[in-house]
Amino acid sequence: MSAVMSEPVPGVGPRDAERAAAEIFGVTAPATMLRSERDRNFLLAAAPAPLVLKVSNSAELDEVVDLENGALSHARQHAPDLPLPRLLPASGGGLVSRITAADGRSHLVRLLTVVPGTPADGTRLGPGFGFELGRASAALARGLRGFAHPAALRYLEWDPREVARLGPALATLPDPAQRDRLVALAARLADLPGRTANLPAQVAHGDITLSNVLTQDGRTVSGIIDFGDIHHTARVCDLAISLTALLRVAPAPWPAAAEFLRGYQGVTPLEEDEVAVLGDLVLARLAATIAISVLRGGSDPEHAATVAELDRGSWAVLDALGAISGAELDGRLLRMTGLARASASRVADPGLLDRRNRLLGGRRLAPLFYREPLQLTHGQGPWLFASDGTRYLDAYNNVPVVGHAHPAVAQAIASQSRALNISSRYLHPNLPELAGRLLSTLPPGLDTCLFMNSGSEANDLAWRMAVLVTGRAGAIVTDSAYHGVSAATAPLSANTWRPGQQPGHVATFEPPRAADGIAPGRRHAAGRIAAARDWLAARGLDVALALADPMFTSGGILDAEPEFVAGLCDAVHEAGGLFLADEVQAGFGRSGSGLWSFARHQITPDFVTLGKPMGNGHPVAALITRHEIAARFAEVDEYFSTFAGNPVSCAAALTVLDIIEQDDLVASSAATGQLLRQRVAEVTAGLPVPVTVRGSGLLAGIELGGQPDELTPLLAERLRQEQILVGTTGPGGRVLKVRPPLVWTAEHVEVFAAGLRRSLADVLPG
Ligand code: PMP
């Protein structure tokens, strides 16, 4: 312990104080003792106003008292609205004098004016006090800005940054559970000096706690006293000290913290990096308080009750904040201060996977990629960054079609959110603007656009429309289709059916597999639709709707002849059914031949569904159809969905369309995709197994001939070691799926090709 903490309080009583006041300051008044931890303070009932005689601890250094005095007068000058005590000079001049106590120890004495009010820790606090405390804390910090003093750089036991130094004291806590918890906490927080070293710093009060904050009504702050802990620190440490004091007495931590921070930020907005350490500083301060009460032991009977009360409060806050993870605490404080950032923590959170599995129903309900799941923190263009700092090339995610974290999309979402976000039941120009933009890219006849939040919902509504308009109840999809997760679209997703669980109203057909030998054309398509119709007819049904992803992505990325897809569409039409081009995955320039992949097949579907990349990650989807279909549906039914087509989603989607057009991403998808297939063919030529590469634009399927299904997932895992993220698709997951953001260039193709070459050399037998 520092000398001031271990040195007994001055052996000076009220009579000594009265004598000193009279002799040194010429003030004759009766004295009563005030509470103080390490000094002796006396209230002098002087006329016309009471005064405080402050007798410092004998271990207190002259330069520290000089620091206190200088800070006080600086703050009084620069925060004139904040009631602070004023130093009064001695009769002989000078603000500091000395007395010698009866025990022979020498003490510095000062005379101060009295600030109105009583300490907040002895007052019933009302609503709004936390806000006022936040304001006062910030105002005093502002008033102290610019003040410098050599004695301000000093170590104080109470400093939350230095809590790790108190580890040995915490190790003597009698309760083993409490001891282990705080010893571990202090050890974890050993990095606080480093984490705070670069934050805004200044000379700060250092002890704006409820015993040093005065109030007259329990709601407002009438003054701040006791500059005895003043030191140079990160300003967020000073804030953390006040916040901790408030939390100890608050009925609930979150409302109190929010109120306090609102008050503080009303005076001084905080920086994100400050808030990012605030939670840990509060925890540190709580641990420091408990450590110091241990260090003091029973040596301070005068304050035993206060100390016990402090400790109780500290434990209550530790329990409340400890109920969530450190990352969650940081995130909550960042949201509270309006500084929420994409990821609250760039540190890997080892408990995250367990928490997720426990709270989300396990891996089947909340699936993850990779044997060792990847925790990502941020992205940029085609790159993704993990919590351990590793940079990955994204060769998989099509949703961030214009690149991860595109600033224009983020800005569009943010600025529209700041202005208004509301359901489409009110007029807003974004909605028809987006509808118009999308329809202008589609064949004539497709003139009606409805919005929703996911691809599943788009297909779901299309299915309802088709059933209603045709008066039929049968569907046709490919045998490996995926069209959604809803009650209507899961049955349309053949690749999610359990064996033997084909729904009775959904017939399947084979997409154009490489195994066909010859590329299937119009005749094959007609035959396959006819067979599907027979299957439905055998169940008393006919086709209402056939759905197809024109790139057959979930089938393994199959290159269909335009004639095959046109043949499907025509055959369905001839049968009186409707045809849906599911562009949820293949749309927005992916195929490299126009925005929509069905365009190369020269068909006009009855429905087109859009989703996934439409908002570059923001949930927004659309169903496009002809007005006569929509009108027929509207005669008997209606459609509205709360979030669908809200102005923020539309702003995101409009920005995505802008960027695809401005950056010519469709042409770039075609060219880069062609290079990709060429380079894959080159690096896989001469391998012991035949490797085929299919697809168009930036959608490529790579298949290893004659290998077991397990090899492809293994290859995906191996590519992760190359810092390349891919997926798998097709029956048995045996096709490597390369479907990157469209901002890939030749540079990224080279990184991918080199990684693929090394990975294949590793995983292929022999
Ligand atoms: N259709 C296709 C072709 C898809 O790939 C998907 C999603 N994988 C969906 C529909 C469903 O979209 P969502 O996940 O947004 O509901």
Side-chain angles (χ1 to χ4, degrees), residues 454-456 459 482-485 549 582 584-585 612:
S454 67
S456 300
N459 288 330
Y482 184 78
H483 296 292
V485 75
D549 163 359
D582 183 333
V584 170
Q585 192 158 179
K612 280 178 174 279

Side-chain angles (χ1 to χ4, degrees), residues 263-440:
Y264 194 100
Q265 287 196 293
V267 177
T268 302
L270 291 165
E271 293 180 14
E272 186 185 309
D273 288 348
E274 294 181 283
V275 181
V277 297
L278 178 57
D280 277 347
L281 286 170
V282 168
L283 295 173
R285 174 73 175 185
L286 293 165
T289 312
I290 294 167
I292 290 166
S293 75
V294 174
L295 280 175
R296 289 218 175 111
S299 71
D300 194 4
E302 202 182 320
H303 293 106
T306 321
V307 168
E309 187 60 35
L310 260 183
D311 282 0
R312 249 193 312 281
S314 296
W315 276 112
V317 182
L318 277 168
D319 286 341
L321 301 188
I324 59 175
S325 76
E328 285 168 351
L329 173 59
D330 293 347
R332 186 139 189 190
L333 291 169
L334 283 161
R335 291 194 295 275
M336 208 177 262
T337 48
L339 293 167
R341 59 187 180 193
S343 70
S345 168
R346 296 209 165 160
V347 179
D349 174 356
L352 185 57
L353 178 60
D354 284 347
R355 277 204 312 285
R356 174 181 158 128
N357 282 337
R358 184 161 40 80
L359 299 174
L360 279 87
R363 280 231 184 171
R364 279 181 69 81
L365 299 185
L368 285 159
F369 288 135
Y370 299 109
R371 282 193 295 242
E372 292 278 324
L374 199 53
Q375 189 184 337
L376 298 170
T377 56
H378 57 295
Q380 191 185 23
W383 303 105
L384 285 167
F385 299 82
S387 47
D388 63 2
T390 311
R391 185 179 81 157
Y392 292 91
L393 176 65
D394 189 355
Y396 176 72
N397 288 287
N398 65 325
V399 170
V401 61
V402 297
H404 287 281
H406 195 290
V409 180
Q411 178 57 36
I413 291 171
S415 54
Q416 183 57 53
S417 302
R418 277 194 287 268
L420 175 73
N421 198 19
I422 198 159
S423 88
S424 62
R425 288 199 189 266
Y426 301 90
L427 284 174
H428 194 282
N430 284 8
L431 191 64
E433 183 179 352
L434 177 59
R437 276 288 282 283
L438 290 169
L439 291 171
S440 73

Side-chain angles (χ1 to χ4, degrees), residues 504-563:
H505 68 293
V506 186
T508 61
F509 69 95
E510 245 202 304
R513 295 232 158 77
D516 287 332
I518 51 144
R522 180 172 285 273
R523 205 165 40 79
H524 301 87
R528 291 177 196 189
I529 293 299
R533 281 188 73 196
D534 289 347
W535 189 94
L536 289 172
R539 287 157 182 79
L541 298 171
D542 203 353
V543 55
L545 183 69
L547 304 91
D549 163 359
M551 298 190 76
F552 302 100
T553 318
S554 56
I557 306 168
L558 307 170
D559 299 322
E561 288 294 316
E563 280 297 292

Side-chain angles (χ1 to χ4, degrees), residues 649-695:
S649 302
C650 292
L654 282 164
T655 313
V656 168
L657 288 173
D658 289 346
I659 298 164
I660 291 177
E661 189 176 330
Q662 288 151 18
D663 295 356
D664 208 6
L665 290 182
V666 178
S668 156
S669 169
T672 311
Q674 196 183 359
L675 178 67
L676 170 68
R677 269 173 292 278
Q678 181 196 319
R679 294 291 294 125
V680 169
E682 283 164 15
V683 300
T684 57
L687 284 177
V689 300
V691 177
T692 46
V693 52
R694 298 187 295 267

